Amino acid sequence: MNSAADLGKAPVSSLVLRLAIPAMIAQFVNVLYSIIDRMYIGHIPAIGPDALAGVGVCGPIVTLLSSFGTLVGIGGSILFGIRLGEKNIPKARQILSNAFLMLTCFSLVLTAAFLLLKDQLLMWFGASSVTFAYADTYLTIYTAGTFFALMATGLNYFINSQGFPLAGMATVLIGAVFNILLDPLFIFVFHMDVAGAAIATVISQMASCAFALSFLFSKKVKVRITFGGYSRRLMGRILYLGMSPFLILATDSVLLIVMNTVLQTYGGPSQGDMLITCATIVQSYMQLITSPMIGISGGSQAIISYNYGAGEAKRVKKTVSCTLKLMLTFTVLMFIISRFLPRVFVLLFTSVPEYMDFSVWGIQTFTLMIIPLSFQYVFVDSLTALERTKTALTLSVLRKSMYMAGTILLPLFFGAASAFYGEPLADGISSVITSAVFLLLIDRHLAKRSVSVSTPAEGPN
């Protein structure tokens, strides 16, 4: 944890493994926050299925809140990495200072806004008269801990960007361990049910936040958190670069809203809550796949940004290639597991036969196109790291738009269950388009950077 990786000189293949693997593990563990909550909640006597559906309704809001940490973290760390590649430490320090202020402001504003609007949001997100009480309890407590969640998420990108992947992984692992230990204590020993799950999660996020802050204020890192040098122009640049990954996560929330609403509408009073419960289980499984995928592609962004800043085009392309190979290895493995072992996962949440059968089918349907999705994740995140924000954003929005269209339109003709086909259809089509765009752009974009690399960066961006 004390030894920083040399992003400009170490062999690319070993660098990708050194940064991407811990980031992948960290993202995998991070998703355990919600999965462990849901697993225990699903087994609460008498109220388990309804409480699980209520927490599932909160999922989009929780994702939306955390996406603001990603907005600042990725946007800031890309600029941060480029400046480190240019050996411009003062501007790197200024970027971290501005990002820290932005995370603080976002957390305060979002906490107030979501506490005021939570009742309307929950009904909009698909809560029923049965599930509203559980959703309201969970969301109220979770929102109160927004500051810790945003800080832990956003600051972790700056730890990784300085070549400390193990410390970045530790930030997440600390929170996960707390959550695993505290969930059964608060839920079953103290009989706090849904409230206990939310309290355990907030305490876990506090622990992760404390570690990230202590690390970035320590002498272990080259660039520590400082105060001052604030610039509206720089903050705007951070938001601009972080907009693509932010919208990916934020629109995930919108898609979950749409999915819950469609299932509640077309499932009706007899099946609506059951379908939402199963969709919650399926989404939990998908997070076990997509979160490590985010870790693989996101963990490699630090290498790409650093070498892009240094004008090392060959190292950039080598990083993209190695990252894609690692991603394909992971998705092929998960595709095979999804064909044969989804019932084992579903049993963690429910043993009701009707819920089990539909959830298994939903998992196998959602994962039909996860292998092609590798190209979407790697190429979009690479474009973001190369400051091609508009291109990355357009490709991300295209995929999400197709996903939403499928989720809404398919049930009109084929019933509520057909909404589950929206994901694989969008994944397959968008991966082909994204790959074509990336291959057409990459050489020209890197050549342009190589020509201008000797020109000093202007302004605070």
Side-chain angles (χ1 to χ4, degrees), residues 53 260 263-278:
N260 288 343
L263 294 177
Q264 193 68 260
T265 300
Y266 290 95
S270 61
Q271 284 195 310
D273 286 343
M274 184 276 289
L275 291 173
I276 290 178
T277 299
C278 293

Side-chain angles (χ1 to χ4, degrees), residues 136-166:
D136 183 55
T137 298
Y138 188 91
L139 185 61
T140 300
I141 297 170
Y142 184 92
T143 303
T146 298
F147 174 84
F148 309 108
L150 261 62
M151 281 292 174
T153 300
L155 294 179
N156 212 27
Y157 289 100
F158 293 94
I159 294 175
N160 288 323
S161 290
Q162 298 192 60
F164 292 96
L166 294 180

Side-chain angles (χ1 to χ4, degrees), residues 65-74 96-111 146-158 213 216 225 235 238-239:
L65 282 169
S66 64
S67 65
F68 282 90
T70 302
L71 169 65
V72 177
I74 290 185
L96 179 54
S97 172
N98 278 261
F100 183 74
L101 177 64
M102 293 170 71
L103 288 169
T104 303
C105 293
F106 270 131
S107 63
L108 296 176
V109 172
L110 289 170
T111 299
T146 298
F147 174 84
F148 309 108
L150 261 62
M151 281 292 174
T153 300
L155 294 179
N156 212 27
Y157 289 100
F158 293 94
L213 284 171
L216 284 173
I225 294 174
M235 291 181 188
I238 290 172
L239 294 177

Side-chain angles (χ1 to χ4, degrees), residues 216-233:
L216 284 173
F217 273 113
S218 73
K219 295 181 179 179
K220 297 175 184 177
V221 292
K222 182 181 294 186
V223 181
R224 288 181 281 173
I225 294 174
T226 56
F227 303 94
Y230 302 122
S231 164
R232 284 184 293 179
R233 182 168 177 252

Side-chain angles (χ1 to χ4, degrees), residues 239-454:
L239 294 177
Y240 176 74
L241 287 173
M243 191 57 63
S244 178
F246 168 76
L247 287 180
I248 292 173
L249 290 173
T251 51
D252 278 344
S253 300
V254 176
L255 286 168
L256 288 172
I257 298 168
V258 172
M259 174 68 85
N260 288 343
T261 303
V262 166
L263 294 177
Q264 193 68 260
T265 300
Y266 290 95
S270 61
Q271 284 195 310
D273 286 343
M274 184 276 289
L275 291 173
I276 290 178
T277 299
C278 293
T280 300
I281 295 171
V282 173
Q283 291 289 351
S284 297
Y285 183 86
M286 283 299 294
Q287 286 181 316
L288 287 177
I289 299 174
T290 57
S291 291
M293 289 174 71
I294 291 170
I296 293 171
S297 59
S300 300
Q301 281 184 318
I303 310 170
I304 294 172
S305 294
Y306 186 98
N307 286 285
Y308 178 67
E312 296 287 345
K314 288 184 178 180
R315 288 179 64 84
V316 169
K317 293 175 72 173
K318 179 69 172 177
T319 302
V320 175
S321 175
C322 291
T323 304
L324 183 58
K325 290 176 184 177
L326 180 59
M327 186 79 81
L328 286 169
T329 301
F330 174 74
T331 53
V332 168
L333 175 63
M334 293 307 299
F335 180 82
I336 294 171
I337 291 174
S338 302
R339 299 308 102 194
F340 299 103
L341 297 176
R343 188 170 293 272
V344 175
F345 179 82
V346 175
L347 277 170
L348 297 174
F349 296 86
T350 181
S351 57
V352 179
E354 182 184 13
Y355 286 61
M356 285 186 62
D357 291 341
F358 192 88
S359 296
V360 169
W361 173 84
I363 287 171
Q364 293 177 336
T365 300
F366 258 57
T367 56
L368 285 172
M369 288 291 170
I370 59 170
I371 297 174
L373 190 60
S374 299
F375 295 88
Q376 173 79 13
Y377 271 63
V378 172
F379 291 158
V380 167
D381 281 357
S382 296
L383 288 168
T384 302
L386 295 169
E387 296 189 291
R388 291 291 306 224
T389 305
K390 289 183 180 178
T391 308
L393 181 57
T394 300
L395 293 170
S396 298
V397 170
L398 176 64
R399 173 176 172 254
K400 298 297 185 178
S401 298
M402 289 190 288
Y403 185 179
M404 184 176 297
T407 301
I408 294 172
L409 296 176
L410 288 173
L412 290 173
F413 304 99
F414 305 107
S418 65
F420 285 75
Y421 284 102
E423 166 99 8
L425 283 172
D427 292 347
I429 296 170
S430 63
S431 296
V432 173
I433 296 172
T434 296
S435 298
V437 171
F438 182 84
L439 294 174
L440 287 171
L441 288 177
I442 184 64
D443 287 332
R444 184 174 56 189
H445 184 71
L446 291 176
K448 183 179 178 181
R449 176 64 184 179
S450 295
V451 170
S452 61
V453 71
S454 59

